[in-house]
Structures are given as C-alpha cells and as structure tokens.
Amino acid sequence: IRESATLTRDVLEQHFNDLKGTLKKLLDERLTSLLQEVDAIEQESIKPLDECQKLIEHGVSTANDLLREGESAVDGDVGQQNEKLCSFTKKALHIQLDSLPEVPSLVDVPCLSAQLDDCLLTILKNQIFRHGTVASRPPVQLEEFVEKPGGILVRWCKVDDDFIPQDYRLQYRKSTASHFEDVYVGSETEFIVLHIDPNVDYQFRVCARGDGRQEWSPWSIPQIGHTTLVPHEWTAGLEGYSLSSRRNIALRNDSQSCGVLYSKAPTYFCGQTLTFRQVHSGIETVGQPDRRDSLGVCVEQQNGYDSLQRDKAVCISTNGAVFVNGKEMTNQLPAVTSGSTVTFDMEVVQLGPSSNEGGNFKLRVTISSNNREVVFDWVLDQCCVSLYFGCSFSYPGWKVLVF
C-alpha cells in the first residue's frame, strides 16, 4: 500500500507540474498574439491620421509665412511696396488656403479595447476539479498463469462490477528488462504468450478501456509468471520443410521429397493441450490438399511413412477425417484451411493391474477443430505420458505453427 501510494503521489505531482508548465506556455503565447494584434491595428489606423496632421501643419505653416510676407509688403517703403505686393499676390493665388485634407469622423477612428470573458475561469475551474481520479484498486486483475511449452497462458478478470470493459491490454517483460511491451490488445480475457524462455521469470500486467472511453484504466498489480516446459520444436533437416528460427513453424516447401515431419523430442505430455495453427504463408491460399495430409501425435518416430495415418498414431487429415492407428473414424471434423486451429487434449485412463507390468493403457483423446470436437479412446500396449507430434503435407504452401 505504501509503495503504491508513494508512486501515485509522484505520478500526480509530475502530471500537474507538467500541466502548469503547459498552461503557462499557452497563456504566454496567447498574450503575445493579442499584443501583436493591438500593435498591428494601432500602426494601420494611425498612419493616415499622421499623414493628415502633417498636411494640416504644412498648410498652416505656409499660411503663416505668407501672412508675414504680406505684412512686410504693407510696411515697406513705397519703392519696394509694389514689387512685394505683386509677389505676395502671385503666391496667394497659388496657395489654396481654403482647402484641407479630409479628416475622418470620430466614430470612424479605431478605439482599441480588450474583451476578456471571465467565464473561462469558470470553465477551467470546472474542468480542473473533475480532472483526474484516484482508484483504490484497478478494475482488472491478473487471475491465473498456466504453463505451456515455451509459453504461458495468462488469464485475467474484472474485479469492479460497475466497470464495463471494451478492450483489454496485456503487457509483459523479462524480470531483467526495464520496459514493458504490449503483447495483446483485444476483448478476450486470456492469451497465450509465446516465445517464453523456460525457467525465466516474466512480469505481467493488464489494464482495460471502458466502453466508449479512449483512456486506459490503471494497471493491475504486476505478477510474476514462468514456465518450466521447453518449447515445442520441429526436427530440423527434413528436405521437404523449412523451419522458422525458433523451429516452432514449419513450411512445406516446393521440394519433391515427401515424408512425415516429427517433433524434435516427445515434448507433448498428457494433460496438456497441443495446438496446431495453420498460418498464412504469403501464398494466396494454403497448399493443395491431399488425402494423406495429416496433423497429429504418435508414440514414436517411424521413418519411411508419408503420412501419420499409421499404427501408434492419431491424426486429423486436412479434409477433416480422423484416423486412429491408421483406421478412419466415422466422425469427421471441419476441413483445415488458412487460419484453422486444431487442438489435441489427452488424459490417461489406466487398464491392467499396474503401469510397471506392461498392461494395456488407453488415452482419452479429444480433437477440436473450428468449434467442433471428437472424443475417443486410444488403446496402447504401453504407458505413454509423453508423445511426439508430427505433420505431413504432399504439396507446398502449408505452414503450421505448433504450441
């Protein structure tokens, strides 16, 4: 509580200090703009009046000079009087003493003033008093971490009954990293975070955005999650397939070589969910289907086959047919297409006296595809709690992510 309270105080102080600085800058800019407007109006309005004043002063000065010259002509001697009077008369005829420049009326002369609406303070006061809230707890909290091979299934839940979420935002970081990064934004309440290194702690946090709102809620309390399960990997080196750098994505290339691509090790354990996802390969459609195409699990790697439709294996073909030990079931699932997700779930059902005596065992298998599933029992002659997975495609363009 003390740590979060201290952090909240720091955030509030920093935010309002930033607001103060921004508001002062905006007010200073507005003041400068208004003062420049006053200067422009003053200069534009005073110029013709200054010119009018200069003309009037010049006319008055000229009349004064002429008046003095007339007085001098009258007061002079008789010999010079006629000459001075003639000069005076000529100047008087050329000077228009009875004309003045047009002077604007008083109502046409600008009279500057400032209009300052005091309601701005009221508006700002109301907005400021409503700005910011303090929440005693975030509306969304992390609920559960489920270990996955090379990943973590993160679940979260809403803890505020009055909060109506529109979107969620999940972030994570390695414990040694300084910054969180987005890993999911959407409406779901769970997400599988892949590319997780085994036995390494990761920190997670989640927030939400209310219905019709733009801002995100406060972050949940950060929690630590990790996985002890090594990531699923395809076996490298098979000529017909190209692998991603993490070897969790296999692309059927245009090689003529056929065969089954197996996992590097038996990393699928009963009680877990194995997921195959058909991802976009950059080709407009997925590869051409073939009846031998398969996705599934098996007890052991067996080379020399071009499909998983064989003994000691269960699989689904790209047309949706389900095979158990090489035999097709009557139940069928939707066809596998671009974006399809196929999942395998298995649990052990023991038959026989003891697992150490080689008795018969069966696995309860659930295969799901496109919101449909089939459930059946797979009988084996030995206990197998960890299995290989595999795929086989006859034509290029198929691209499968496994997790």
Side-chain angles (χ1 to χ4, degrees):
I1 293 174
R2 289 193 177 96
E3 182 180 356
S4 63
T6 300
L7 179 61
T8 301
R9 291 189 191 97
D10 292 342
V11 169
L12 288 172
E13 290 175 356
Q14 181 64 46
H15 177 74
F16 277 86
N17 284 334
D18 291 343
L19 279 180
K20 290 177 185 178
T22 303
L23 285 173
K24 184 180 184 306
K25 181 180 177 182
L26 291 173
L27 289 172
D28 289 343
E29 290 177 353
R30 182 57 179 163
L31 174 60
T32 301
S33 174
L34 291 172
L35 292 175
Q36 290 174 347
E37 192 173 341
V38 171
D39 293 341
I41 295 174
E42 181 185 22
Q43 292 174 8
E44 181 181 356
S45 303
I46 206 71
K47 183 178 180 181
L49 294 178
D50 284 341
E51 292 175 351
C52 181
Q53 181 177 0
K54 289 178 181 178
L55 287 174
I56 293 173
E57 290 176 350
H58 177 70
V60 171
S61 175
T62 302
N64 287 332
D65 292 342
L66 185 62
L67 179 61
R68 285 194 293 271
E69 186 174 342
E71 291 175 348
S72 175
V74 172
D75 296 338
D77 55 24
V78 176
Q80 296 178 340
Q81 196 172 42
N82 289 334
E83 183 180 347
K84 289 183 178 179
L85 284 173
C86 286
S87 174
F88 170 80
T89 303
K90 289 180 180 180
K91 288 183 179 180
L93 290 174
H94 287 88
I95 296 177
Q96 296 180 346
L97 297 178
D98 58 344
S99 65
L100 289 173
E102 182 180 0
V103 179
S105 63
L106 191 60
V107 295
D108 294 330
V109 177
C111 180
L112 280 71
S113 63
Q115 287 77 47
L116 302 173
D117 193 346
D118 291 338
C119 73
L120 175 63
L121 292 177
T122 304
I123 296 172
L124 287 175
K125 184 188 298 182
N126 293 334
Q127 292 293 330
I128 290 172
F129 285 165
R130 290 198 302 266
H131 182 68
T133 58
V134 175
S136 59
R137 55 178 56 84
V140 181
Q141 292 287 6
L142 295 168
E143 184 178 29
E144 184 181 16
F145 297 102
V146 180
E147 294 186 32
K148 296 288 182 179
I152 301 174
L153 172 61
V154 184
R155 291 193 176 103
W156 54 88
C157 62
K158 183 169 69 78
V159 294
D160 184 350
D161 294 336
D162 297 329
F163 184 78
I164 301 176
Q166 175 180 313
D167 291 307
Y168 298 100
R169 181 182 179 189
L170 178 67
Q171 290 188 336
Y172 84 127
R173 69 179 179 187
K174 270 188 178 181
S175 294
T176 55
S178 57
H179 299 289
F180 282 92
E181 61 180 272
D182 287 342
V183 69
Y184 173 76
V185 176
S187 59
E188 300 295 328
T189 56
E190 66 177 36
F191 183 76
I192 296 179
V193 183
L194 299 176
H195 305 157
I196 295 293
D197 296 328
N199 302 307
V200 173
D201 286 341
Y202 288 80
Q203 203 170 36
F204 295 85
R205 66 183 186 180
V206 67
C207 66
R209 181 162 48 198
D211 189 21
R213 305 294 293 271
Q214 294 296 321
E215 71 277 6
W216 292 99
S217 72
W219 290 106
S220 66
I221 299 172
Q223 295 190 40
I224 299 295
H226 72 279
T227 183
T228 58
L229 305 176
V230 296
H232 292 317
E233 293 182 11
W234 298 103
T235 299
L238 191 63
E239 186 178 349
Y241 293 88
S242 304
L243 305 184
S244 63
S245 59
R246 289 182 174 266
R247 295 187 291 276
N248 61 340
I249 299 177
L251 170 65
R252 180 66 169 93
N253 56 37
D254 55 6
S255 170
Q256 297 299 317
S257 176
C258 293
V260 178
L261 177 65
Y262 292 103
S263 58
K264 182 179 179 181
T267 52
Y268 172 54
F269 290 85
C270 295
Q272 299 175 357
T273 297
L274 177 70
T275 303
F276 297 98
R277 181 172 295 161
Q278 181 65 40
V279 296
H280 188 60
S281 61
I283 305 173
E284 288 190 7
T285 59
V286 295
Q288 180 182 346
D290 187 276
R291 63 179 182 81
R292 297 167 297 172
D293 295 346
S294 306
L295 291 165
V297 297
C298 55
V299 175
E300 58 192 8
Q301 297 179 350
Q302 292 184 11
N303 297 322
Y305 290 90
D306 60 0
S307 174
L308 277 175
Q309 300 167 17
R310 61 167 176 81
D311 189 36
K312 294 185 178 180
V314 294
C315 63
I316 176 176
S317 68
T318 51
N319 63 8
V322 177
F323 290 84
V324 182
N325 291 331
K327 296 180 180 180
E328 185 175 353
M329 295 181 62
T330 56
N331 293 336
Q332 186 160 331
L333 292 169
V336 178
T337 58
S338 179
S340 291
T341 297
V342 178
T343 62
F344 286 74
D345 290 276
M346 299 189 184
E347 58 179 340
V348 179
V349 179
Q350 181 174 330
L351 299 176
S354 171
S355 62
N356 296 324
E357 296 179 3
N360 288 333
F361 288 85
K362 66 179 176 181
L363 298 175
R364 184 71 43 79
V365 182
T366 302
I367 305 178
S368 301
S369 176
N370 292 337
N371 298 320
R372 289 180 57 187
E373 65 179 30
V374 294
V375 182
F376 57 90
D377 289 339
W378 181 24
V379 179
L380 299 170
D381 59 3
Q382 60 183 352
C383 179
C384 293
V385 294
S386 63
L387 299 163
Y388 290 87
F389 56 85
C391 71
S392 62
F393 298 103
S394 300
Y395 297 99
W398 295 93
K399 189 176 184 181
V400 180
L401 165 68
V402 62
F403 57 91

